[in-house]
């Protein structure tokens, strides 16, 4: 028997998209708390406002993150969700699971929590929704001992790194995103679990400029696969595309008749730099003009591949609007190698240099992108010991207000007004 | 065995990090790691990856509500056990993927998904994939709207675009239930964003107990919060803050720092629609989403205004854009004045930026198009 009437939520049980309401109701038959989730959500649907209280600091011994406290503001009505904390589990790189481990997680969560999850949270963690304070230590014990899984990050720390699926199932990955994500997560366990930063710090690993894990939009430090040599061309496959033997864009447009494939219109004319042309039936690319946008490779995956000299571009400072407005990440290091053999040493040198500075100079709740904006990109490049190059900008400044330094100007800033007055009377 | 509350530190394990990913690879993935040559989408929701070894990997992508029970996860596991070597994965857009190593195994897998009833196959290529979203009213303390409910309503309406590939390009729809944007909607083709429209209230009864006043004051990016005396419900004067309402842009950051400054409100809260963002560097550079509808009301359970607005933008784009053109690229090609006209969206002052760097978005040229906006 339903514990609460949910006439509004019931309307979300119809329609073709999977219904979380139907799923919650099914779970409620086994876990009584789920009735109270439904009841409280129904009340929110009626009142048009959340019924979760602000904050609440809970966690496990020795960690400063990984658990987010949550309390109902109507515990008498909904005792099952009076306290209903979130647990973040650190997902394996690119979220592959055996059913064996998933079933173990399910059993643990049915025993110790509400049975509800987010697969996955926006930062990538496997999110377990809803448990009580007294269950937190047992959950942490079960997670580490039985599941061999650790908590993820929350608060002012390194947030759980995440990556695209990389070389495991993609032909475009320019480095092993999964190995990088795993190695960096393991290296910085302390930074992940014990908040020491001014605010959150996200790092994400994408294998190519298509950026399937949205690193450029969401990470304080984005690592996006890139290459420095020439796009590899299979001219026979180019011909096959032109003959219509292969579907363009991997068949992504199959649902509509766009007419026969036209390499001029669909590839060459859409190249942002105009660096491609046909010579007879051969496709030519002036690679020195190429900005590696991926469009031609996306359209003809069987004919074109990224070059062989592969690594990553490092960008800093992406974030959503809170506080200073949204930022897309700024390109800081054009190219580094991303090698497991040296444990991603170049990456680590960069991230540690940035952290050292930001931990000392970042203000409370200031993302590193905001710190960089506050001091300016030239100052940040100096801190990172990076020589400014035109690749750092979209265009040069159009205002003349240069912050010259004392030592940069002949004779310095110190001058005698008395000497000045000898020639220039008031 | 298990946790002993008498000896909480006994046999404690910490900082073991995530499980190693490679142990969960399906056999065909493990064998062909780093050797993939190309891929094709053989039907909506079904990918074929071909390796230089000649091996093939077929992936079936299934739409998932993200807010799911362990019972639903076990349903996925049953299918993976029976059809996909006991392995599955989740995408960054919260779809489930099953992988098999031969074409012959695809049909039984698709049949099993169809039989389940809540496992729609799609989300590939030039279509709409799963809506990335946040928690909303179901589990968050700062939302201005719900998340799962709005997404369910929108995806029911866009379902045909999830299971087909008839758009000019992929369209990424995302929802964030407040301006914190855990859902990273700020670079999405179509973004559904929960917004507040009323300044915070001040609870003088609790503010000194639950808030660090300097943090609450410095939390405001516009300096709208200042120290002030307040009068609590007993008539006593307490140290508190005051809000300059004219300066407030309703970001909610003060509430994040100070629970005694709630701003959520049934009438004040609702949804803004932003469009034209992208993440990929393909052709044009990554772009922010731009606000085209500043406010739509919260109307549970099915948010008809929001659903209609999203569908209208999507279908206007689908009719008008060129092959490969993302929503933002289309809007920039035709010009935003045409975007508003073609989508029949009323233009208001709310779409003219007056926050930081606003000038970058104002028109500084005589080049404009005559549309119905010029009377």
């Amino acid at each position: 028997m339903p514990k609460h009437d949910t006439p509004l939520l019931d309307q979300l049980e119809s329609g073709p998209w999977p219904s979380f309401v139907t799923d919650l109701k099914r779970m409620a038959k086994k876990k009584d708390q789920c009735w109270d989730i439904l009841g409280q959500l129904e009340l929110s649907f009626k009142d048009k406002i959340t019924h979760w209280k602000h904050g609440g600091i809970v966690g496990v011994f020795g960690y400063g993150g990984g658990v987010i406290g949550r309390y109902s503001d109507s515990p008498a009505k909904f005792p099952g969700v009076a306290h209903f904390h979130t647990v973040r589990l650190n997902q394996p790189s690119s979220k592959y699971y055996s059913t064996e481990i998933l079933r173990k997680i399910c059993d643990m969560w049915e025993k110790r929590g509400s049975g509800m999850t987010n697969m996955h949270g926006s930062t990538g963690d496997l999110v377990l929704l809803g448990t009580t304070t007294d269950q937190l230590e047992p959950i942490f014990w079960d997670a580490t001992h039985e599941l061999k899984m650790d908590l993820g990050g929350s608060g002012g720390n390194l947030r759980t790194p995440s990556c695209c699926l990389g070389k495991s199932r993609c032909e475009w990955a320019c480095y092993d995103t999964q190995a990088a994500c795993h190695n960096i997560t393991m290296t910085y366990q302390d930074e992940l679990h014990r908040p020491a930063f001014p605010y959150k710090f996200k790092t994400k690993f994408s294998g190519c400029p298509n950026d399937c894990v949205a690193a450029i939009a969401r990470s304080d430090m984005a690592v996006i696969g890139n290459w420095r040599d020439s796009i590899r061309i299979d001219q026979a496959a180019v011909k096959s595309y032109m003959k219509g033997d292969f579907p363009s864009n991997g068949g992504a447009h199959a649902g509509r008749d766009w007419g026969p494939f036209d390499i001029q219109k669909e590839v060459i004319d859409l190249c942002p730099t105009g660096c491609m042309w046909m010579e007879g039936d051969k496709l030519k690319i002036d690679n020195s003009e190429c900005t590696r946008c991926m469009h031609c490779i996306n359209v003809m995956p069987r004919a074109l591949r990224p070059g062989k000299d592969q690594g990553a571009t490092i960008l800093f400072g992406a974030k959503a609007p809170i506080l200073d407005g949204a930022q897309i990440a700024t390109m800081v290091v054009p190219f580094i190698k991303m090698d497991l053999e040296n444990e991603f040493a170049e990456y680590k040198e960069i991230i540690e240099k940035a952290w050292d500075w930001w931990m000392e100079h970042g203000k409370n709740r200031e993302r590193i992108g905001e710190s960089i904006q506050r001091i300016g990109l030239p100052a940040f490049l100096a801190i990172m010991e990076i020589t400014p190059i035109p690749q750092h900008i979209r265009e040069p400044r159009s205002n003349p207000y240069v912050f010259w330094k004392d030592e940069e100007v002949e004779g310095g800033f110190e001058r005698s007004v008395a000497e000045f007055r000898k020639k220039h009377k008031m | 065995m298990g946790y002993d509350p008498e000896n909480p530190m006994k046999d404690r394990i910490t900082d073991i990090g995530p499980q190693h990913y490679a142990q969960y690879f399906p056999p065909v993935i493990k064998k062909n790691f780093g050797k993939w040559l190309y891929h094709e989408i053989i039907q909506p929701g079904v990918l074929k990856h071909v390796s230089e070894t000649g091996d093939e990997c077929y992936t079936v992508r299934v739409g998932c509500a993200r807010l799911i029970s362990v019972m639903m996860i076990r349903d996925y596991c049953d299918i993976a056990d029976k059809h996909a070597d006991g392995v599955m994965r989740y995408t960054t857009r919260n779809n489930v993927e099953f992988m098999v190593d031969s074409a012959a195994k695809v049909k039984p897998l698709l049949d099993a998904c169809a039989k389940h009833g809540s496992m729609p196959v799609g989300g590939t290529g030039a279509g709409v994939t799963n809506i990335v979203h946040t928690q909303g009213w179901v589990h968050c303390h700062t939302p201005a709207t719900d998340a799962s409910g709005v997404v369910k309503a929108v995806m029911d309406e866009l379902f045909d675009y999830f299971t087909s590939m008839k758009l000019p390009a992929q369209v990424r729809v995302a929802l964030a239930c407040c301006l914190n944007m855990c859902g990273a909607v700020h670079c999405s083709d179509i973004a559904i964003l929960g917004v507040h429209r009323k300044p915070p209230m001040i609870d003088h009864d609790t503010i000194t107990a639950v808030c660090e006043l300097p943090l609450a004051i410095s939390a405001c990016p516009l300096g709208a919060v200042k120290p002030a005396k307040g009068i609590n419900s007993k008539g006593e004067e307490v140290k508190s803050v005051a809000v300059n309402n004219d300066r407030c842009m309703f970001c909610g950051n003060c509430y994040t720092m100070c629970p005694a400054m709630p701003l959520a409100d049934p009438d004040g809260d609702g949804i803004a629609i932003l469009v034209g963002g992208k993440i990929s560097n393909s052709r044009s550079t990554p772009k922010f989403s731009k606000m085209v509808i500043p406010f739509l009301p919260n109307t549970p359970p099915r948010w008809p205004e929001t659903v209609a607005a999203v569908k209208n933008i999507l279908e206007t784009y689908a009719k008008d854009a060129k092959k490969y053109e993302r929503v933002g690229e289309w809007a920039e090609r035709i010009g935003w004045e045409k975007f508003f006209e073609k989508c029949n969206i009323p233009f208001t002052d709310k779409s003219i930026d007056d926050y930081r760097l606003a000038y970058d978005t104002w028109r500084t040229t005589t080049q404009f198009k005559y549309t119905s906006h010029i009377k």
Side-chain angles (χ1 to χ4, degrees):
Chain A
M1 266 300 285
K3 193 167 149 189
H4 307 283
D5 286 330
T6 53
L8 293 170
L9 286 173
D10 293 351
Q11 294 179 51
L12 292 176
E13 292 200 82
S14 60
W17 190 250
S19 171
F20 69 98
V21 176
T22 306
D23 195 21
L24 263 164
K25 284 185 177 175
R26 183 164 67 138
M27 195 71 225
K29 287 179 187 151
K30 292 177 95 173
K31 298 293 290 187
D32 192 55
Q33 299 105 300
C34 291
W35 282 127
D36 285 336
I37 305 178
L38 284 160
Q40 182 169 310
L41 186 60
E42 177 76 14
L43 187 62
S44 279
F45 270 46
K46 193 163 152 271
D47 293 347
K48 299 197 242 182
I49 196 166
T50 192
H51 280 286
W52 295 104
K53 274 197 228 181
H54 184 291
I57 295 189
V58 287
V60 300
F61 293 122
Y63 279 17
V67 183
I68 296 114
R70 199 63 90 224
Y71 300 89
S72 170
D73 72 2
S74 310
K77 270 189 225 154
F78 309 110
V81 297
H83 39 145
F84 207 62
H85 314 314
T86 299
V87 177
R88 288 185 182 163
L89 290 182
N90 193 338
Q91 81 289 357
S93 280
S94 57
K95 309 181 188 77
Y96 285 89
Y97 297 98
S98 67
T99 55
E100 188 191 357
I101 187 73
L102 281 174
R103 287 182 196 279
K104 280 188 188 170
I105 296 166
C106 290
D107 292 346
M108 188 275 280
W109 197 238
E110 190 171 326
K111 183 175 160 199
R112 301 204 176 276
S114 71
M116 291 309 295
T117 73
N118 280 160
M119 300 295 279
H120 292 69
S122 294
T123 288
D125 305 88
L126 193 169
V127 172
L128 303 172
L129 289 175
T131 191
T132 51
T133 308
D134 59 325
Q135 287 293 331
L136 292 174
E137 287 298 335
I139 286 165
F140 184 61
W141 175 280
D142 290 352
T144 48
H145 288 79
E146 314 291 334
L147 311 175
K148 312 283 183 218
M149 293 180 85
D150 205 339
L151 299 189
S154 65
N157 60 11
L158 171 63
R159 294 302 181 83
T160 313
S162 66
C163 60
C164 70
L165 51 56
K167 289 173 182 282
S168 72
R169 206 194 62 202
C170 182
E171 63 267 35
W172 296 325
C174 292
Y175 69 96
D176 187 343
T177 55
Q178 296 168 303
C181 185
H182 188 78
N183 183 287
I184 271 77
T185 308
M186 296 305 288
T187 305
Y188 298 115
Q189 282 291 295
D190 199 34
E191 286 77 3
L192 206 153
H193 289 133
R194 291 165 200 92
F197 293 159
Y199 201 18
K200 66 182 87 163
F201 190 98
K202 299 183 179 179
T203 184
K204 293 186 192 297
F205 302 89
S206 264
C208 83
N210 282 328
D211 195 6
C212 286
V213 77
I216 207 164
R218 304 201 293 164
S219 41
D220 299 275
M221 181 177 173
V223 187
I224 300 180
N226 215 332
W227 67 94
R228 349 178 226 213
D229 54 349
S230 302
I231 291 174
R232 286 175 278 175
I233 309 178
D234 176 344
Q235 295 290 358
V238 172
K239 271 186 229 161
S240 298
Y241 274 106
M242 291 171 70
K243 276 197 288 179
D245 293 347
F246 303 145
S248 64
N249 215 10
H253 291 87
R256 185 152 139 192
D257 182 11
W258 292 92
F261 177 68
D262 181 340
I263 195 167
Q264 184 67 36
K265 202 169 125 206
E266 299 187 35
V267 181
I268 296 173
D269 291 350
L270 291 180
C271 171
T273 66
C275 73
M276 317 179 78
W277 69 97
M278 296 301 294
E279 273 183 24
D281 56 4
K282 279 206 162 58
L283 179 68
K284 295 284 186 180
I285 302 176
D286 179 354
N287 279 281
S288 70
E289 295 296 320
C290 171
T291 49
R292 300 165 311 287
C293 84
M294 293 293 296
H295 175 74
C296 59
I297 297 174
N298 290 339
V299 175
M300 302 193 294
R302 295 176 73 158
L304 302 174
R305 305 175 74 185
K308 284 181 170 168
D309 184 10
Q310 299 182 336
T313 300
I314 307 288
L315 304 93
F316 273 95
K319 58 182 281 295
I322 301 285
L323 287 172
D324 261 359
Q327 288 180 222
I328 292 173
T330 300
M331 202 290 292
V332 172
V333 185
F335 188 85
I336 62 169
K337 294 302 264 188
M338 286 292 287
D339 294 331
L340 185 55
E341 291 73 46
N342 68 8
E343 302 253 337
F344 307 99
E346 286 183 70
Y347 169 92
K348 286 173 184 168
E349 194 187 326
I350 295 167
I351 198 171
E352 287 176 19
K353 204 178 277 179
W355 281 348
D356 280 350
W357 167 75
W358 182 54
M359 278 197 278
E360 192 170 342
H361 297 281
K363 295 183 188 175
N364 180 43
R365 274 172 61 77
E366 184 179 61
R367 295 283 286 269
I368 196 169
E370 291 161 333
S371 308
I372 296 169
Q373 279 235 31
R374 179 161 54 80
I375 65 158
L377 183 58
F380 182 67
L381 293 176
I383 287 153
M384 297 298 288
E385 299 174 87
I386 291 167
T387 308
I389 51 175
Q391 283 82 354
H392 284 128
I393 55 165
R394 189 154 47 212
E395 61 185 42
R397 71 194 305 153
S398 47
N399 67 69
Y401 307 127
V402 175
F403 294 100
W404 294 103
K405 291 186 184 69
D406 178 275
E407 64 272 19
E408 288 176 326
V409 185
E410 293 79 1
F413 286 179
E414 288 305 313
R415 289 174 288 164
S416 162
V417 76
E419 287 298 313
F420 182 79
R421 283 288 166 239
K422 282 180 191 166
K423 285 186 184 170
H424 306 279
K425 300 276 185 272
M426 273 293 272
Chain B
M1 265 307 281
Y3 177 71
D4 176 7
E6 302 300 314
N7 292 297
M9 290 301 155
K10 186 167 177 287
D11 296 332
R12 194 174 186 78
I13 307 174
T14 65
D15 300 288
I16 58 172
Q19 288 241 9
H20 199 274
Y21 52 95
Q23 66 189 305
Y24 302 129
F25 286 160
V28 66
I29 294 282
K30 187 167 278 185
K31 189 176 156 209
N32 295 285
F33 187 91
K35 294 177 189 161
W36 298 104
L37 263 185
Y38 68 91
H39 75 278
E40 272 171 27
I41 305 166
I42 55 175
Q43 69 184 75
V46 183
L47 303 161
K48 172 188 178 183
H49 285 82
V50 180
S51 164
E52 58 194 34
T53 65
D55 285 355
E56 293 174 346
C57 175
Y58 292 85
T59 302
V60 171
R61 183 177 292 172
V62 174
C64 165
R66 189 183 93 132
L67 173 62
I68 54 172
S69 70
V70 296
M71 296 172 82
M72 189 69 195
I73 298 173
R74 289 182 188 127
D75 288 353
Y76 293 127
C77 288
D78 288 343
I79 288 184
D81 280 340
K82 190 152 180 221
H83 297 277
D85 298 309
V87 181
M88 54 187 271
R89 71 176 291 269
Y90 287 84
T91 70
T92 47
R93 300 194 77 84
N94 309 314
N95 300 287
V96 169
E97 287 185 341
F98 301 110
M99 288 146 284
V100 294
D101 58 11
S102 81
K105 295 178 182 172
V106 173
K107 177 81 168 46
L109 180 49
L110 290 172
D111 290 345
C113 294
K115 194 168 165 230
H116 181 276
S118 277
M119 294 192 190
V121 174
T124 53
V128 169
T129 189
N130 209 346
I131 299 185
V132 168
H133 66 93
T134 57
Q135 305 259 27
W137 292 332
V138 80
H139 208 235
C140 184
H141 63 165
T142 66
T145 187
D146 190 35
S148 318
V150 187
V151 166
K152 164 70 175 152
V154 173
M155 283 308 284
D156 276 343
E157 194 66 28
L158 301 188
F159 190 73
D160 186 34
Y161 294 101
F162 177 81
T163 54
S164 67
M165 302 188 291
K166 55 190 179 187
L167 296 172
Q170 70 267 43
V171 175
R172 302 290 179 241
V173 186
L175 178 148
C177 53
C178 84
L179 274 62
N180 267 315
M181 290 195 189
C182 307
V185 304
H186 62 297
C187 293
S188 299
D189 293 283
I190 301 178
I192 305 166
L193 175 65
V195 292
H196 304 289
R197 291 186 305 166
K198 295 190 185 185
M201 300 173 277
I202 300 159
D203 183 350
H204 299 297
D205 283 351
T206 62
I207 194 162
T208 46
V210 299
C211 304
E212 296 275 1
L213 296 186
L215 289 181
I217 291 158
S218 66
C220 180
L222 294 177
V225 182
K226 60 186 177 188
K229 301 283 184 212
I231 306 292
N232 69 15
S233 55
K234 290 184 202 153
E236 300 158 341
E237 194 178 78
V238 292
K239 277 190 184 176
S240 186
V241 297
V243 174
N244 180 344
N245 288 344
D246 292 341
R247 280 198 184 177
C248 179
M249 44 85 168
F250 321 103
C251 71
N253 198 49
C254 53
Y255 178 61
T256 299
M257 295 310 290
C258 175
M261 299 182 73
L263 74 165
D265 184 89
D267 301 314
D269 295 352
I271 281 172
I273 304 291
L274 295 84
V275 306
K278 72 193 267 283
I279 283 151
S280 158
N281 288 273
S282 184
R283 297 172 309 283
S284 58
T285 54
K287 299 177 201 305
F288 285 129
S289 318
K290 285 97 179 158
M291 184 183 282
V292 295
I293 303 177
F295 186 79
L296 296 166
N298 274 329
T299 43
R302 284 207 164 262
W303 280 267
E305 301 87 352
T306 298
V307 169
V310 170
K311 194 170 185 194
N312 169 45
I313 292 166
L314 182 75
E315 294 192 333
T316 308
Y317 154 79
K319 256 191 271 165
D320 202 54
K322 296 178 178 175
K323 191 178 178 186
Y324 302 108
E325 212 165 42
R326 297 284 292 266
V327 172
E329 293 171 325
W330 163 66
E332 285 177 6
R333 174 172 60 81
I334 64 172
W336 284 98
E337 65 269 46
K338 281 275 184 198
F339 169 89
F340 281 93
E341 188 172 68
K342 284 192 167 167
C343 292
N344 198 22
I345 295 173
F347 188 84
T348 73
D349 61 330
K350 306 290 186 292
S351 287
I352 300 178
D353 197 357
D354 52 4
Y355 193 59
R356 297 202 170 118
L357 310 175
Y359 171 80
D360 291 356
T361 64
W362 301 344
R363 193 178 306 251
T364 53
T365 168
T366 59
Q367 298 177 8
F368 58 81
K369 290 181 181 174
Y370 287 102
T371 61
S372 54
H373 302 95
I374 298 177
K375 303 292 178 203

